[in-house]
């Protein structure tokens, strides 16, 4: 499928179905989308002002710009999401899917506009992306296996994050994550792993951050097992994390195992 031109959403802030998408690609196999630089414009500035996540702890009543759900053996090439009302792109329940030459563009004040969120998917490759947004450039949810994130330019934003994990019962393990050859600049965080306090037992394992260059990053590496952004949390920490980190910071090597 070839796409030409741009799509622009209405600026009106309306309550959407939970986790809904403005544009959805669902349950297709052997699918290729050649975007040719096409833009999905969410017209989100009014929504950011109306966002009440900090007060309620819930942020799911606004549409995600583009959702990829249940795709198998597929490629998404050369598309850009700008000014989404909530997350820009969501990849869920996918298998063997490649996203290449992806653009994300929104200002730092755009609340809860994660660039690309990946969850409950196996064999996702994110190869080449320029992400500017008001939240995580890439966020990785439970059930993600064999994920490669390579060649991402992140900033402004909150960095590249595994999690948050453990907010809900029966979350699936995260296994086999590689983040490499990325540049993170002018962000709050670099790479981080975050779980909610009081969460059920869970495991994130075989995680590799390699050859990552950071510039003007407030917290380059953050392992946070008491992530509680809105103050609606239980006490205690139960999640188990097994990780292997290899970080390149301004030509200095930091080698960590824990």
């Amino acid at each position: 499928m070839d796409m030409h031109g741009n799509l622009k959403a209405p600026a009106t802030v309306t309550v959407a179905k939970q986790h809904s998408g403005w544009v959805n690609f669902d349950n297709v196999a052997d699918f290729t989308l050649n975007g040719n630089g096409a833009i999905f414009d969410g017209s989100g500035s009014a929504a950011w002002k109306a966002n009440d996540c900090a007060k309620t702890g819930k942020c799911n009543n606004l549409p995600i710009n583009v959702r990829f759900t249940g795709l198998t053996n597929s490629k998404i090439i050369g598309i850009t999401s700008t000014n989404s009302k909530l997350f820009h792109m969501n990849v869920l329940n996918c298998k063997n899917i490649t996203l290449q030459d992806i653009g994300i563009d929104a200002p730092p004040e755009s609340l809860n506009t994660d660039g690309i969120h990946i969850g409950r998917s196996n064999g996702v490759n994110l190869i080449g992306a320029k992400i500017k947004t008001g939240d995580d450039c890439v966020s990785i949810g439970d059930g993600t296996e064999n994920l490669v994130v390579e060649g991402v330019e992140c900033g402004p934003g909150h960095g590249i994050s595994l999690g948050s994990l453990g907010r809900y019962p029966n979350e699936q393990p995260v296994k086999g994550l590689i983040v490499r050859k990325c540049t993170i600049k002018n962000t709050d965080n670099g790479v981080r792993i975050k779980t909610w306090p009081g969460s059920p037992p869970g495991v994130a394992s075989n995680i590799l951050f390699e050859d990552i260059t950071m510039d003007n990053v407030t917290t380059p590496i953050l392992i946070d097992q008491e992530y509680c952004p809105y103050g609606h949390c239980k006490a205690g920490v139960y999640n188990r994390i097994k990780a292997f980190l290899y970080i390149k910071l301004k030509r200095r090597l930091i080698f960590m195992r824990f």
Side-chain angles (χ1 to χ4, degrees), residues 138-166:
V138 180
S139 58
I140 301 152
D142 76 292
T144 301
E145 298 185 26
N146 303 313
L147 168 66
V148 175
V149 176
E150 182 175 313
V152 170
E153 297 178 20
C154 168
H158 293 180
I160 298 175
S161 295
L162 170 54
S164 56
L165 300 175

Side-chain angles (χ1 to χ4, degrees), residues 175-207:
K175 299 184 292 183
L177 163 62
I178 298 174
V179 180
R180 63 189 176 202
K181 297 181 181 178
C182 296
T183 300
I184 303 175
K185 186 176 181 179
N186 300 326
T187 61
D188 295 337
N189 304 291
V191 294
R192 61 175 171 166
I193 303 173
K194 50 183 179 175
T195 61
W196 289 78
S199 57
V203 176
S205 62
N206 297 327
I207 301 163

Side-chain angles (χ1 to χ4, degrees), residues 58-154:
K58 298 179 180 180
C59 316
N60 299 323
N61 62 337
L62 295 170
I64 296 166
N65 246 16
V66 188
R67 284 180 57 97
F68 302 102
T69 306
L71 272 63
T72 304
N73 301 327
S74 298
K75 294 181 179 180
I76 311 299
I77 304 168
I79 64 172
T80 291
S81 170
T82 183
N83 295 329
S84 180
K85 292 181 174 69
L86 198 68
F87 287 16
H88 286 267
M89 297 183 188
N90 198 350
V91 178
L92 186 67
N93 293 328
C94 293
K95 185 176 181 180
N96 298 330
I97 176 175
T98 296
L99 292 89
Q100 186 174 342
D101 297 330
I102 302 298
I104 304 292
D105 192 4
E109 63 269 20
S110 57
L111 298 176
N112 302 106
T113 54
D114 287 32
I116 302 172
H117 178 78
I118 301 161
R120 302 190 180 184
S121 297
N122 193 330
V124 176
N125 296 290
L126 172 58
I127 309 297
K130 294 182 179 180
I131 302 177
K132 302 176 181 179
T133 193
D135 211 293
D136 293 333
C137 291
V138 180
S139 58
I140 301 152
D142 76 292
T144 301
E145 298 185 26
N146 303 313
L147 168 66
V148 175
V149 176
E150 182 175 313
V152 170
E153 297 178 20
C154 168

